[in-house]
Amino acid sequence: MKEKIQLPRQYRILLVEDEPANIQMIAACLSTDYIVAIAKTREKALQLLSTSPFDLMLLDIQLPDGNGFEICQHVVANREKYGNISIIFMTSLDSPDDEARGLSLGGNDYIHKPVNNVVLRARVKLQIQLIRKNELLEHLTCFDGLTEIPNRRAFDDQLQKEWHRARREYNPLSLAILDIDYFKQYNDIYGHPAGDQCLRIMAANLTSSFMRNSDFIARYGGEEFAVILYDTDLE
């Protein structure tokens, strides 16, 4: 099976800020390395978070229609909807109590205004590095070493996410459980290396058969495999 070359992805940042000068400066500072989207209000920020995935949010606290503390609290409480977004507060509120509050609500960092370009880039880079390390660790813990497809743990997490999404969007969700007949006898006759190769072939065939981005294939355990099919009815 030919190994795919995976290019580094671009990380996505949501800038929640209402001051035009700050928006221009921060966007210019970060847009060469990251994809930057802008929200000037609480309402727009939640709208963008609901429709697009983001890795990091740069969050002002004082907004025309709310405050960043509320947004942070809402996002952290609804991780299944918004994902595990890192949050950096950017604000002119510089008291220790405000900073402590932001961090206690789930913020990852706290930058005082006026924002320094060098400091901003360094703080953002640090959070992106942490995100990348967590992604690599997650990949190692959620993939089956033999077949190189997601494992039972990843399946359980994905099924829960897709179940909630299907209920929220009123779409069907199908689940297929497959196993290999007479696999124990196959192992006994041809040996475990042949059995391992059989499992790898099965995983490769499933991967090439279910090709939509929403299709999710996993090794359920032993010779069992599972396929989660979002927006797919029984017929």
Side-chain angles (χ1 to χ4, degrees), residues 14-16 37-51 54 65 71:
L14 176 60
L15 171 59
V16 186
I38 298 165
K40 297 181 180 179
T41 63
R42 176 183 184 274
E43 181 183 5
K44 183 63 176 179
L46 294 179
Q47 178 189 341
L48 288 174
L49 287 168
S50 298
T51 55
F54 290 95
D65 59 345
I71 296 174

Side-chain angles (χ1 to χ4, degrees), residues 13 36 57 64-65 99 110 125 128 132 145 188 211 214 234:
I13 295 175
V36 180
M57 180 162 54
D65 59 345
E99 184 169 349
Y110 197 99
K125 184 179 179 181
I128 295 298
R132 177 61 177 158
D188 291 342
M211 300 183 65
S214 58
L234 184 59

Side-chain angles (χ1 to χ4, degrees), residues 90-143:
M90 293 184 315
T91 177
S92 56
L93 300 179
D94 57 1
S95 76
D97 289 342
D98 288 322
E99 184 169 349
R101 182 185 177 191
L103 297 175
S104 68
L105 289 173
N108 300 86
D109 204 348
Y110 197 99
I111 300 176
H112 301 292
K113 289 182 178 179
V115 178
N116 178 278
N117 278 0
V118 176
V119 172
L120 176 63
R121 277 195 294 267
R123 297 283 185 89
V124 168
K125 184 179 179 181
L126 175 60
Q127 290 302 321
I128 295 298
Q129 287 174 339
L130 292 173
I131 292 168
R132 177 61 177 158
K133 288 179 180 178
N134 287 335
E135 287 175 341
L136 292 173
L137 288 173
E138 187 71 16
H139 180 85
L140 291 174
T141 58
C142 290
F143 274 75

